[in-house]
Amino acid sequence: MNIQTISTTPFDDQKPGTSGLRKKVAVFERNHYLENFVQAIFNTLGDCRGKTLVLGGDGRYLNRQAIQIILKMAAAHGFATVLVGQGGLLSTPAASCIIRRYQAYGGIILSASHNPGGPEGDFGLKYNASNGGPAPEQLTEAFYARSRNLTEYRIARADDVDLDILGEQRIGEMTLRIIDPVDDYARLMQELFDFDRIRALFQSGRFTMRFDAMHAITGPYAKRILEEQLGAPSGTVMNGVPLEDFGGGHPDPNLVHAHDLAELMYGPSALSFGAASDGDGDRNMVMGREFFVTPSDSLAVLAANAHHLPGYRAGLAGVARSMPTSRAADRVAGHLGIESFETPTGWKFFGNLLDAGRITLCGEESFGTGSNHVREKDGLWAVLFWINLLAEKRTSVAEIVREHWRRFGRDYYTRHDYEALDAAIGQQIMDRLVGQLERLPGQSFGNYKVVSADDFSYRDPVDNSYTEHQGIRLFFENDSRIVFRLSGTGTEGATLRIYIERFEPDPENHGFDPQDALKEAIDVAEALCKVKALSGRSRPDVIT
Ligand code: G1P
Ligand code: ZN
């Protein structure tokens, strides 16, 4: 095999964020940009000879070209086998499943998750380790360090391969196996959920649903599992064909971006169930008839009901939530007498807890829920979990959630995002908050009296690693909490996220719209951070 060594110069911006390296397509298209980062990964991994790599992406613009380059680089580094999803496609949770099932050394997933795609959109690359989970921080830091002093990369000189034909091909010594992207994942879902019962629910004719794949990766997965295996009527999956630019949309499953679906959930002919997933298939949004399930509540409901489902009958070891996620899951853990953990934002922090068997379920407020079945959050898994629960309980989504609130109390919750702020303003807001931390306890803002305030840090109970500056937390006397943090996934300026919640134990007060129930707390948040005043914006860009 002809291996070329190409000289290059380092880029100084290849620092992975919350979820891999994510940049505008134009940045990834710069000469050597992708190659450099892949070389930094391979250098960090060390001897790759004889190892198996999993490779695939969410199908966005640049996916196929990037796969051709990475395959040739993998061949040049001596990988024995690379497993690639047909057409270059693999959802993030399926990649995690495949890494685990085939005991691969690791995997490269090409995605910028819920960020828009196409030539003007974003592209991304993340590395997952042999447990199937996102590279831990020591590893991503090492990729970055390596990227800073690269002088060359190695790539095999070979023809492009055909990514669409299932089966084996070779690039030099390396075996390339094109696999069906759905098979292994679908088999895993079958082990976890009661497919017979779900089939009966669809057959009953009383259950109507749509799954919005948003022209992203979950289309083929949802069609196979929901329509072919579970007997949902054809057309249940909408926007099911993955497109390089996601049809011009923003593949983020929330009420703003999944509006086609949201519309079907209201009015006289509203469906019983609606769900959506994001660009790479790891996020989920779940709705009932005229009822939106907050992701934080979804995690708590799943935790409280997991024992009804085949894969979780033995009960849960523990649950974890990211810090900005509402405390609803903690209440369930307390009730079940199991451990609960509060981790920094980002799925990678759940990995150690899952590997060590300390938790079974975990989730984030950002439409991410998952379990120990893989090491990523998993959109379609969460949707199947809900459908299985509905098949089991034969009641509505709204009733399941309201019943949950009656039992545990309701954590009113909202997140307000100010996107693409001037980076300096974002930093100024955070610096000012940090500067106030010591003085805040004891201060009152209307009915809101601060009892404690901190800059969140986390000591991993498994490997003892320490992560700091993960967001400002303020706790109030009335069992409310406000959190401020800057996004680690945005590709433009700074995005400020404000997370606002208040616990309401009294069922008489459970029926309000969160924006109304939290109105005063929302004003307190502005008084504290002054984002509107400093940025001149009159409202958040996205409210979830
Ligand atoms: C966002 C979410 C976070 C999630 C990440 C990757 O990160 O807030 O929960 O893990 O996307 O999907 P952020 O932009 O807030 O850093
Ligand atoms: Zn995603």
Side-chain angles (χ1 to χ4, degrees), residues 234-260:
S234 99
T236 297
V237 178
M238 50 197 276
N239 302 320
V241 179
L243 298 176
E244 285 200 332
D245 65 348
F246 308 119
H250 198 130
D252 198 1
N254 59 40
L255 291 176
V256 178
H257 297 304
H259 47 80
D260 289 355

Side-chain angles (χ1 to χ4, degrees), residues 12 20 63 94 168 181 183 193 212 214 220 243 277 287 330 354 364 394 398 412 419-420 437 453 464 472 538:
D12 60 6
N63 193 60
E168 288 194 2
D183 281 351
F193 302 118
D212 188 351
M214 305 186 86
L243 298 176
S277 189
M287 296 182 77
D330 305 10
L354 289 164
E364 296 194 272
R394 294 281 172 143
Y412 276 108
E419 294 178 344
L437 281 180
N464 226 25
I472 303 299
S538 57

Side-chain angles (χ1 to χ4, degrees), residues 113-114 278 280 282-283 377:
S113 188
H114 50 286
D278 72 330
D280 62 329
D282 57 358
R283 294 187 170 196
K377 56 188 173 242

Side-chain angles (χ1 to χ4, degrees), residues 207-460:
F207 179 73
T208 49
M209 79 162 277
R210 290 283 185 287
F211 176 89
D212 188 351
M214 305 186 86
H215 287 302
I217 190 69
T218 46
Y221 292 85
K223 273 194 197 151
R224 172 90 63 85
I225 296 172
L226 293 172
E227 296 184 7
E228 290 173 32
Q229 299 185 334
L230 292 168
S234 99
T236 297
V237 178
M238 50 197 276
N239 302 320
V241 179
L243 298 176
E244 285 200 332
D245 65 348
F246 308 119
H250 198 130
D252 198 1
N254 59 40
L255 291 176
V256 178
H257 297 304
H259 47 80
D260 289 355
L261 174 76
E263 267 170 30
L264 298 174
M265 301 310 300
Y266 290 89
S269 53
L271 307 169
S272 352
F273 186 68
S277 189
D278 72 330
D280 62 329
D282 57 358
R283 294 187 170 196
N284 75 89
M285 179 177 77
V286 163
M287 296 182 77
R289 178 173 290 135
E290 311 209 327
F291 194 91
F292 171 75
V293 186
T294 308
S296 295
D297 278 342
S298 180
L299 174 64
V301 169
L302 299 192
N305 291 287
H307 59 278
H308 292 303
L309 275 52
Y312 305 92
R313 286 236 203 277
L316 307 178
V319 293
R321 62 167 173 86
S322 66
M323 180 273 281
T325 304
S326 98
R327 297 161 296 173
D330 305 10
R331 302 182 204 286
V332 176
H335 175 86
L336 295 173
I338 57 174
E339 281 194 293
S340 64
F341 299 88
E342 181 178 36
T343 57
T345 298
W347 208 259
K348 58 186 170 219
F349 294 98
F350 296 133
N352 280 344
L353 297 169
L354 289 164
D355 285 347
R358 300 277 290 267
I359 58 169
T360 309
L361 293 187
C362 45
E364 296 194 272
E365 51 65 41
S366 52
F367 298 85
T369 330
S371 88
N372 58 353
H373 69 290
V374 288
R375 292 295 180 273
E376 288 278 4
K377 56 188 173 242
D378 189 344
L380 196 49
W381 166 88
V383 172
L384 290 167
F385 200 128
W386 267 96
I387 301 176
N388 199 159
L389 207 55
L390 291 164
E392 189 73 39
K393 299 207 160 201
R394 294 281 172 143
T395 169
S396 69
V397 172
E399 194 39 44
I400 290 178
V401 178
R402 289 195 187 113
E403 162 65 26
H404 184 92
W405 291 338
R406 282 194 288 275
R407 201 165 151 210
F408 296 98
R410 177 171 184 184
D411 288 271
Y412 276 108
Y413 189 86
T414 188
R415 182 177 107 184
H416 288 199
D417 292 339
Y418 292 83
E419 294 178 344
L421 294 172
D422 186 273
I425 292 183
Q427 204 45 56
Q428 184 191 352
I429 288 173
M430 293 310 286
D431 291 346
R432 271 198 45 239
L433 286 166
V434 171
Q436 286 175 289
L437 281 180
E438 277 176 23
R439 279 177 286 126
L440 281 170
Q443 279 190 42
S444 289
F445 301 81
N447 292 316
Y448 282 68
K449 182 171 182 192
V450 181
V451 278
S452 66
D454 67 5
D455 184 350
F456 182 64
S457 62
Y458 177 68
R459 166 97 42 210
D460 186 301

